[in-house]
Amino acid sequence: MNRVILEDLEQKVLALRALHAKLRDMEAGPSFGDVVARSRPA
């Protein structure tokens, strides 16, 4: 059971990374992580 959940989660992570890269390429702007990091007070 855990293996099935892990495999599903890994596929979702890969899809999310691919989407993130695609969006970054389309907008040629900062990554979401960069925006979040800058929005937090130091």
Side-chain angles (χ1 to χ4, degrees), residues 3-23:
R3 181 179 299 265
V4 173
I5 294 170
L6 178 61
E7 289 173 358
D8 182 57
L9 184 58
E10 287 173 341
Q11 289 298 316
K12 289 177 180 176
V13 168
L14 291 175
L16 185 59
R17 286 180 178 168
L19 177 61
H20 183 258
K22 180 179 177 181
L23 291 173

Side-chain angles (χ1 to χ4, degrees), residues 11-41:
Q11 289 298 316
K12 289 177 180 176
V13 168
L14 291 175
L16 185 59
R17 286 180 178 168
L19 177 61
H20 183 258
K22 180 179 177 181
L23 291 173
R24 185 180 60 231
D25 291 344
M26 286 174 50
E27 296 182 10
S31 71
F32 178 75
D34 293 339
V35 172
V36 171
R38 282 197 309 264
S39 69
R40 296 182 184 195

